[in-house]
């Protein structure tokens, strides 16, 4: 059908012609790059030092005095804005720095941002470990936030572009797997260092330097993604890297898609302005809503303040850290479930099923606390066990759904010309909501009490409905052809304007088989 029209940029669906398999180069690149996720997770989990007495006594003496007052409402003992700022400043700093990371990632490559992130983590770890006053402690957290801004901007993007299309979902979840491993490691380390008095907290805060060093060195050793190389004019090198990571010289179809996407990308001088155009509306909505909803599950409240939360429920200091360690282990295990199933079951099924189970868990915890726990009494042993079990179920559901997919979906849906800008928006929104929840949670817990879980359950209901209505299935769809998916989806096809078009080569949809791709299967899935 010569003369047919298709979206400008990628002119033909070629996914069925893509060659290649999982190679050693891809495996090593993914492992080294995903170390950035472990640092992100470690910085989340290590916030548990805020229950250690030597740490509180040095930096937050008012909280240290209040935590043992039996006359004070159990829900309010840790309600302190300075203590909240110790946790939340990390994410405010990350939000600002990710906007600076976008032009670095686009103009100098994904590796450049990974290296910048690693160096920032090293500086932050040194300041925190040596902190003698609150100012130095906060400054160290700010530098860690800069590392998160650069790392979270570049690493998911790097993984999406390196992975073969048919394995992209699972490999991209290496970032989330590493994040959960970092959370679990931080909980384990806190459990051990609480017994080292009075300086155990310094060890907890300083050990982030180990993965940061690996991330920095790995950033120098990793190959750049072929997408980035081609976009920046290094076409031959881009093809060489593509052949290396696919394990074959037969990469013509994928290379052509990258070249066409790059040609369009290089005509876009202002990606942040371009991303606001109506034709990019579906991707922009996902870049804002997916990371916002991920935080509004309430997961970070549990991850940041698990020891505080469990102590508020009447657990001792050691038992609260043990319980948070257990929930971290469940989160790690459930991420493995997601990696194993995401490219078979798809994104939508995992997100919807996880959302339903999380709602049930939040409601059960609220009911137990509302009936059995009050301002002046603690939970019984049986109720405490039940709460920990249900929170573990919540972690299990989050770990196979919104945990990894809150990062995976936004990282794979943008065309090349707005990809770095889109990833920056995703990270900035994620970190903004993380900052807000981290800063407000202790006060919300004091005001809402057990109803805080109902608050989060309501948001999970909203986001589950959002996925059902607005998110098409993206499994198996090559990144460079993703734009074609939105124009076919039942909701967005009525929203998107007529896209700039150009004549196609012979063979587009002509029945010769060359137009068939994973998009055809995705189109069937989303219209069911």
């Amino acid at each position: 059908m010569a003369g047919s029209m298709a979206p400008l940029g990628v002119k033909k669906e070629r996914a069925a012609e893509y060659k290649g398999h999982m190679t050693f180069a891809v495996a090593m690149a993914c492992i080294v790059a995903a170390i950035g996720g472990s640092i992100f997770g470690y910085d989340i989990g290590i916030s548990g030092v805020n229950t250690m007495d030597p740490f509180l006594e040095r930096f937050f003496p008012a909280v240290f005095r209040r935590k043992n007052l039996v006359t004070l409402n159990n829900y309010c003992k840790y309600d302190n804005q300075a203590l909240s700022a110790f946790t939340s400043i990390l994410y405010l700093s990350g939000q600002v720095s990710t906007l600076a990371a976008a032009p670095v990632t686009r103009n100098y490559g994904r590796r450049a941002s990974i290296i910048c992130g690693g160096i920032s983590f090293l500086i932050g770890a040194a300041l925190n470990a040596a902190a003698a006053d609150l100012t130095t402690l906060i400054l160290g957290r700010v530098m860690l936030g800069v590392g998160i801004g650069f790392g979270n901007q570049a690493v998911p993007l790097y993984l999406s572009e390196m992975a073969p299309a048919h394995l992209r979902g699972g490999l991209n979840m290496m970032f989330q797997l590493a994040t959960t491993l970092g959370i679990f490691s931080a909980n384990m380390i806190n459990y051990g260092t609480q017994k080292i008095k009075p300086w155990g907290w310094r060890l907890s805060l300083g050990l982030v330097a180990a993965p940061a060093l690996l991330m920095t060195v790995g950033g120098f050793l990793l190959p750049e993604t072929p997408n980035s190389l081609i976009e920046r004019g290094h076409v031959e090198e881009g093809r060489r890297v593509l052949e290396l990571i696919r394990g074959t010289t037969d990469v013509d179809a994928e290379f052509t898609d990258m070249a066409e996407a790059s040609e369009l990308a290089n005509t876009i001088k202002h990606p942040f302005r371009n991303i606001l155009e109506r034709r990019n509306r579906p991707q922009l909505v996902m870049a804002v809503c997916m990371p916002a909803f991920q935080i509004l599950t309430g997961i970070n409240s549990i991850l940041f303040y698990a020891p505080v939360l469990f102590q508020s429920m009447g657990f001792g200091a050691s038992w609260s850290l043990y319980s948070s360690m257990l929930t971290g282990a469940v989160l790690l295990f459930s991420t493995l479930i997601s990696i194993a199933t995401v490219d078979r079951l798809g994104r939508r099924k995992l997100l919807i099923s996880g959302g339903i189970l999380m709602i049930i868990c939040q409601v059960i915890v609220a009911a137990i606390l509302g009936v059995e726990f009050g301002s002046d009494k603690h939970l019984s042993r049986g109720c405490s066990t039940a709460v920990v079990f249900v929170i573990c179920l919540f972690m299990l559901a989050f770990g196979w759904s919104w945990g990894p997919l809150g990062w995976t979906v936004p990282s794979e849906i943008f065309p090349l010309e707005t990809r770095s800008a889109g990833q920056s928006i995703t990270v900035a929104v994620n970190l903004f909501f993380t900052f807000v929840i981290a800063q407000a949670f202790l006060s919300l817990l004091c005001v809402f009490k057990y109803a805080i879980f109902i608050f989060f359950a309501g948001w999970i209901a909203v986001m589950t409905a959002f996925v059902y209505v607005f998110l098409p299935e993206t499994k198996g769809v090559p990144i460079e052809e993703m734009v074609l998916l939105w124009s076919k989806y039942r909701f967005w096809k009525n929203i998107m304007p007529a896209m700039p078009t150009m004549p196609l080569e012979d063979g587009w949809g002509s029945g010769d088989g060359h137009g068939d791709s994973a998009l055809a299967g995705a189109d069937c899935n989303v219209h069911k």
Side-chain angles (χ1 to χ4, degrees):
M1 291 175 59
S4 295
M5 308 296 281
L8 182 63
V10 175
K11 310 179 188 70
K12 184 178 181 180
E13 297 174 343
R14 301 182 181 87
E17 303 172 36
Y18 282 19
K19 305 296 181 182
H21 54 273
M22 182 64 185
T23 61
F24 178 77
V26 172
M28 293 305 299
C30 291
I31 290 171
V32 174
I35 291 172
S38 71
I39 302 176
F40 182 39
Y42 190 90
D43 286 331
I44 292 174
I46 212 63
S47 299
V49 299
N50 58 13
T51 60
M52 295 183 186
D53 285 347
F55 178 80
L56 290 174
E57 191 173 12
R58 173 178 283 273
F59 297 109
F60 307 99
V63 178
F64 176 72
R65 290 190 296 269
R66 291 167 53 191
K67 67 176 291 189
N68 295 316
L69 290 177
V70 296
T71 58
L72 189 62
N73 187 320
N74 287 322
Y75 286 108
C76 300
K77 288 185 176 181
Y78 287 89
D79 183 15
N80 181 278
Q81 289 301 299
L83 181 61
S84 295
F86 163 72
T87 300
S88 66
I89 195 67
L90 182 80
Y91 306 100
L92 181 62
S93 171
Q95 181 199 10
V96 174
S97 63
T98 193
L99 299 177
V104 173
T105 303
R106 185 181 190 194
N107 297 325
Y108 299 99
R110 293 27 167 167
R111 292 170 60 244
S113 285
I114 291 174
I115 293 169
C116 288
I119 293 172
S120 299
F121 281 130
L122 286 171
I123 296 172
L127 289 172
N128 276 172
D133 52 54
L134 185 58
T135 301
T136 306
L137 185 73
I138 295 298
L139 182 59
R141 295 288 283 182
V142 168
M143 289 306 301
L144 291 175
V146 173
I148 285 175
F150 275 86
N152 286 18
Q153 208 279 341
V155 170
L157 199 59
Y158 185 89
L159 295 177
S160 286
E161 293 181 344
M162 292 292 282
H166 66 288
L167 297 174
R168 188 182 63 244
L171 292 181
N172 205 357
M173 285 184 183
M174 287 294 294
F175 180 79
Q176 179 64 19
L177 177 63
T179 299
T180 57
L181 182 60
I183 293 169
F184 177 67
S185 300
N187 290 332
M188 291 283 289
I189 289 169
N190 279 345
Y191 184 71
T193 58
Q194 64 157 333
K195 302 173 184 177
I196 306 174
K197 298 180 179 179
W199 55 271
W201 60 269
R202 293 189 185 276
L203 184 60
S204 289
L205 295 177
L207 281 176
V208 71
L213 181 61
L214 290 176
M215 178 178 172
T216 306
V217 173
F220 284 105
L221 299 178
L222 289 171
E224 184 57 85
T225 70
N227 310 66
S228 177
L229 289 168
I230 295 169
E231 182 185 14
R232 292 183 288 126
H234 307 295
V235 178
E236 293 302 319
E237 185 180 357
R239 184 180 180 103
R240 181 184 62 79
V241 172
L242 183 61
E243 292 176 356
L244 171 68
I245 65 177
R246 297 293 178 258
T248 178
T249 57
D250 186 8
V251 295
D252 290 343
E254 189 170 4
F255 179 77
T256 300
D257 271 357
M258 290 182 181
E260 291 176 357
S262 176
E263 183 180 356
L264 174 60
N266 287 327
T267 67
I268 306 299
K269 302 304 180 184
H270 304 286
F272 278 101
R273 186 185 306 167
N274 181 264
I275 207 172
L276 297 176
E277 294 181 4
R278 189 176 176 185
R279 66 189 179 91
N280 291 318
R281 192 65 46 80
Q283 298 97 316
L284 179 60
V285 169
M286 294 301 157
V288 172
C289 291
M290 292 295 289
F293 285 150
Q294 184 190 54
I295 304 306
L296 289 171
T297 59
I299 185 64
N300 281 10
S301 302
I302 296 174
L303 294 176
F304 296 156
Y305 297 118
V308 170
L309 196 60
F310 288 126
Q311 282 201 31
S312 297
M313 295 175 188
F315 290 67
S318 295
W319 276 101
S320 67
L321 287 172
Y322 178 78
S323 299
S324 63
M325 184 174 63
L326 177 62
T327 56
V330 171
L331 183 60
L332 175 61
F333 170 74
S334 62
T335 305
L336 295 174
I337 295 176
S338 189
I339 290 174
T341 59
V342 65
D343 286 315
R344 290 190 294 110
L345 299 180
R347 283 63 161 159
R348 282 168 54 89
K349 288 182 180 178
L350 293 180
L351 286 167
I352 292 172
S353 62
I356 292 171
L357 182 55
M358 283 191 288
I359 293 170
I360 295 171
C361 291
Q362 294 275 30
V363 171
I364 292 175
V365 171
I368 294 175
L369 295 182
V371 173
E372 299 291 336
F373 184 69
S375 300
D376 56 353
K377 61 180 180 180
H378 298 299
L379 288 174
S380 66
R381 177 62 62 89
C383 287
S384 297
T385 302
V387 167
V388 173
F389 176 75
V390 175
I391 288 179
C392 284
L393 282 181
F394 174 87
M395 290 290 199
L396 186 70
F398 179 84
W400 84 53
S401 59
W402 282 91
L405 294 175
W407 290 109
T408 299
V409 171
S411 73
E412 66 184 4
I413 61 176
F414 282 94
L416 185 61
E417 69 269 18
T418 57
R419 195 168 297 159
S420 59
Q423 186 66 14
S424 279
I425 292 172
T426 298
V427 176
V429 171
N430 180 283
L431 294 177
F432 172 75
F433 277 87
T434 303
F435 163 73
V436 170
I437 295 298
Q439 187 65 37
F441 178 74
L442 293 178
S443 296
L444 290 174
L445 182 63
C446 183
V447 174
F448 285 175
K449 300 179 175 60
Y450 66 87
I452 188 70
F453 293 97
I454 300 296
F455 171 78
F456 288 123
W459 279 111
I460 299 172
V462 171
M463 65 185 71
T464 303
F466 173 88
V467 169
Y468 182 79
V469 175
F470 298 111
L471 181 65
E473 182 52 68
T474 59
K475 71 171 182 177
V477 182
I479 296 180
E480 309 308 335
E481 295 182 7
M482 197 71 70
V483 64
L484 304 174
L485 177 64
W486 298 102
S487 63
K488 295 181 178 183
Y489 187 58
R490 60 193 176 203
F491 178 84
W492 295 112
K493 68 180 180 181
N494 298 318
I495 301 297
M496 294 178 69
M499 300 180 68
T501 57
M502 60 171 42
L504 282 184
E505 309 158 8
D506 289 339
W508 173 269
S510 59
D512 61 0
H514 296 299
D516 297 331
S517 75
L519 268 176
D523 193 45
C524 291
N525 289 335
V526 300
H527 285 83
K528 286 180 180 178

